Amino acid sequence: MKTLIDISSWKRREHFAFFSGLHEPFHGIVADIPCTQAREFCRDNQISFFLFYLHRCLAAINQIPELRYRVQQDQVVLYQQIHANATIGRADHSFGFCPIDYQPAFSAFCEQAELSMARVKNSEGLCFTQECQRDDVIHFSAMPWIAFNGITHARHHDGKDSAPKVSIGKCVEKNGELVFPVAVFAHHGLADAYHIHQFFDAFTEQLRQRP
């Protein structure tokens, strides 16, 4: 479900007009997020760390309205709920795109996510289907081999792309605590650094919660 935004009275109308007119309207921020407790919980309970932090990431994204805005044919809509289109790796080190629906209950989320991931792992190519072109998603990738401090994305510069991209990297120890880098790449006409800060805070809190 989505709501059409009246741009003429929207508080971000000038921001949207300005940044939408740029060749590159996206901006990106990377921050280290603490994950010691989440990692230990998943290890102790034999839970997929990837699915745990993806679920918590989506829960946090859905708390931030600015990260649920999307551009559609020069209009702005606000989605009620956001899901994921994730890159899923295979044993041969290729990957495919995998739509994963958000569900508040972690067990239900894992059940359908594992089925979707299995289809990608047992196939070839990008698996780029019509389902992968939905707007009510974030584009999500995990890079558990790299503790990155910056990232760029391959994408069209045609004004049609407005879905945030979220990437999570390798866990490393800093000052006695495990952290992982989290990169958010978002359309500046829809969301500012403050809203990404809100997401980082919400994600940090979500990682402390247990299913």
Side-chain angles (χ1 to χ4, degrees), residues 5-10 13:
I5 301 301
D6 181 1
I7 296 179
S8 66
S9 60
W10 189 32
R13 62 187 180 276

Side-chain angles (χ1 to χ4, degrees), residues 2-199:
K2 62 185 178 182
T3 302
L4 180 65
I5 301 301
D6 181 1
I7 296 179
S8 66
S9 60
W10 189 32
K11 66 179 181 180
R12 295 192 60 83
R13 62 187 180 276
E14 291 187 11
H15 302 72
F16 178 67
F18 177 80
F19 287 107
S20 294
L22 299 181
H23 178 64
E24 172 54 286
F26 275 66
H27 66 126
I29 299 175
V30 179
D32 285 335
I33 301 296
C35 61
T36 301
Q37 294 178 10
R39 183 71 177 270
E40 290 177 350
F41 173 77
C42 291
R43 180 196 61 202
D44 293 344
N45 291 276
Q46 298 183 322
I47 291 172
S48 164
F49 187 44
F50 169 76
L51 287 179
F52 184 79
Y53 66 63
L54 173 56
H55 182 261
R56 293 303 189 247
C57 174
L58 287 171
I61 286 285
N62 278 294
Q63 292 180 37
I64 314 300
E66 288 76 11
L67 297 177
R68 291 188 279 116
Y69 286 129
R70 299 292 182 270
V71 182
Q72 294 180 347
Q73 298 178 341
D74 298 323
Q75 295 181 316
V76 176
V77 299
L78 175 64
Y79 278 101
Q80 182 177 351
Q81 192 166 81
I82 295 299
H83 310 280
N85 186 17
T87 57
I88 299 299
R90 303 187 181 98
D92 65 358
H93 304 298
S94 67
F95 72 88
F97 295 122
C98 181
I100 299 176
D101 286 345
Y102 173 67
Q103 298 187 47
F106 182 61
S107 58
F109 172 80
C110 287
E111 184 177 354
Q112 60 88 23
E114 287 169 353
L115 290 173
S116 298
M117 290 164 59
R119 284 194 291 270
V120 172
K121 290 178 179 180
N122 293 318
S123 62
E124 296 180 345
L126 283 175
C127 301
F128 188 68
T129 65
Q130 187 173 359
E131 184 74 1
C132 296
Q133 301 180 59
R134 290 166 52 177
D135 283 337
D136 59 340
V137 297
I138 58 168
H139 298 153
F140 186 87
S141 57
M143 291 172 279
W145 331 278
I146 306 171
F148 58 76
N149 54 25
I151 188 172
T152 60
H153 292 274
R155 69 183 201 88
H156 287 297
H157 291 256
D158 57 6
K160 296 178 181 179
D161 183 14
S162 60
K165 292 96 176 64
V166 179
S167 299
I168 294 181
K170 180 180 180 179
C171 289
V172 295
E173 185 175 329
K174 291 186 177 180
N175 301 317
E177 182 172 31
L178 285 178
V179 300
F180 51 29
V182 179
V184 180
F185 196 57
H187 192 301
H188 213 333
L190 306 178
D192 302 325
Y194 178 76
H195 307 116
I196 296 177
H197 142 74
Q198 288 183 309
F199 163 72

